[in-house]
Amino acid sequence: MKENLYFEDVEIGDDIGPIKKSVTDKDVIEFVSIREKEITPSRFTSKEIANNEGMPEAIVPGPMNIALMSQILTDWSDTVCLLKIDVVFRQTVPHNQDLTFSGIVTDKDETGDSTKLECDVVMENSDGVKLVIGTGVIALPNKP
Amino acid sequence: MLLDLHTHSVASDDSRATVEQYIKWVNVLRRKGKSIHGFVLTEHRQFDHDVDYSKLASDDGIIILKGAELDTDTGHFLVYGISEQITNELDFSDVNISAQNLVDVCDTYGGIAIPAHPGRVGIGFAEYLDNGVTGFETVKTVEQLNGSNRPGEGEKAESLIKAKGYLGTGGSDAHIVSAVGTCMTRFEKKIANESDLVQELRNGRFTAVKLES
C-alpha cells in the first residue's frame, strides 16, 4: 500500500496493484456467516452441492467478489475514498485458486472541480482468464 | 491503418465503457507511442442506425465505425456494413439467428458477417464445424485474434484458419476502457467508413495484429 497518495501524484495509465490472493473455503464461510449465523450449505460453501450443480468447485459469492474487486482500489493507499464500483461477472470464481487483481487509472478530472479518478479493475485466474471485470470511481485528496 | 474491429460500449449490457472513454484511452495509447487509428463498436444483438459518432471521431482524429455482434445457431458473428435492408431482414435481438441466413443476407445487401472468437467453447464457429455443420462457402474470414480469448481458444482459431484457408481479423472484444486496441486489424488501405471496411475485408487486404509495445 502506498502511503499518502495524492491526486496530483496520479496520471492516467498508472497501474494499480497487482495483488495476488486465493479465496479459501474458510474465507468464504467467514464472509457468509456475517449474514447467516447458521450457514445453509450451498454452492458457495459446499463443493458437493457445487458439483451437483455442474461446477467443479464451490464458488465465491458475488458480493464477496465485489468486495475483493473494491479492495484492489482501497488497498492502493489509505487516502483512497471509493465512490463507486461496478463489476461484470464473466465467469464463476472458484475457491482455493490463485487470483490476480489489478487496476489501471483510465481517466482523471483535469478541470479542478473534483479529485475523482476512474479506474478499470480486473480479476484474473492463473491462466490469465478474466473472471470479473469492472470500473471504479475513487477520490484522492489534494496535496496539502 | 490499424482498427480494433471488436469493441463493446455501455450499449451492450456487459460493458462498462462509454464511447467517450474509449476515445480518451486511444489518445492515451497514442501519447504512449502506440499506433491505433480507430475502432468499430460491435454491440451485442443490436444496431442503432441513428447513433452518429462522426463528430466525436473527427474532433479527436479517430475512426469510429459501427457494426454488431450477433448470436446465431453457429456461434457469435461480427457483422459490418449494416444497412437498413439487413436490419429489416433479420431480428438482431434473436439469440438463435440462422448463421447461414445471416451470411447470405449480408452478402446480398452489402455487409459482411465474420465468425467471432471461433475457437471459443459453445459460441465459437470451429466447434460447430467440428460437429458436422456444413455450408458457409462464402465465409472467407474469421476473427483470428480476440483480446478476451481463454487458453486454447486462439490455438483453435489458428487451426481453423489453417485448415480452411481463412483470413483473420483482430479485435480486442473490449468491455472495459483499457482493453481497447489490445488486438487489431492492420489494413493496407485507408478506411473512412463502413463501406470501405466491408470492401477491404472482402478484398482480403488485412492482417490481424496485437498492440505494439
Side-chain angles (χ1 to χ4, degrees), chain A residues 12-13 86-88 90-91 104-107 118 120 122 127 129-130 133-135, chain B residues 14-16 21 24-25 28 31-32 120 147-148 150-151 173 175-179:
Chain A
I12 296 173
D86 186 1
V87 306
V88 179
R90 296 183 68 85
Q91 290 195 34
I104 190 165
V105 178
T106 58
D107 202 6
E118 292 184 18
D120 282 350
V122 176
D127 290 325
V129 176
K130 294 176 177 64
I133 61 173
T135 58
Chain B
D14 58 350
S15 172
R16 294 295 179 269
Q21 287 174 317
K24 279 189 176 181
W25 195 253
V28 169
R31 285 199 295 274
K32 289 183 173 181
R120 193 155 299 171
S148 296
R150 302 170 181 92
D173 204 354
H175 289 73
I176 53 175
V177 178
S178 56

Side-chain angles (χ1 to χ4, degrees), chain A residues 19-60:
Chain A
I19 294 173
K20 290 185 185 293
K21 66 173 72 175
S22 171
V23 183
T24 65
D25 299 340
K26 184 168 171 278
D27 292 335
V28 174
I29 286 169
E30 280 181 7
F31 184 87
V32 173
S33 66
I34 294 169
R35 199 182 72 173
E36 295 179 47
K37 294 293 178 216
E38 298 292 326
I39 294 174
T40 307
S42 69
R43 72 192 73 160
F44 304 117
T45 54
S46 162
K47 182 176 179 179
E48 187 182 351
I49 291 174
N51 289 162
N52 289 339
E53 294 182 6
M55 289 171 276
E57 296 286 343
I59 61 172
V60 179

Side-chain angles (χ1 to χ4, degrees), chain B residues 73-86:
Chain B
D73 58 6
T74 316
H76 288 192
F77 274 66
L78 295 165
V79 186
Y80 306 108
I82 297 169
S83 59
E84 292 203 354
Q85 292 104 318
I86 291 173

Side-chain angles (χ1 to χ4, degrees), chain B residues 79-115:
Chain B
V79 186
Y80 306 108
I82 297 169
S83 59
E84 292 203 354
Q85 292 104 318
I86 291 173
T87 51
N88 287 340
E89 289 285 332
L90 300 164
D91 177 5
F92 276 26
S93 66
D94 182 356
V95 295
N96 196 36
I97 292 173
S98 161
Q100 184 63 71
N101 189 43
L102 167 64
V103 169
D104 293 344
V105 166
C106 286
D107 289 347
T108 303
Y109 293 111
I112 187 168
I114 291 173

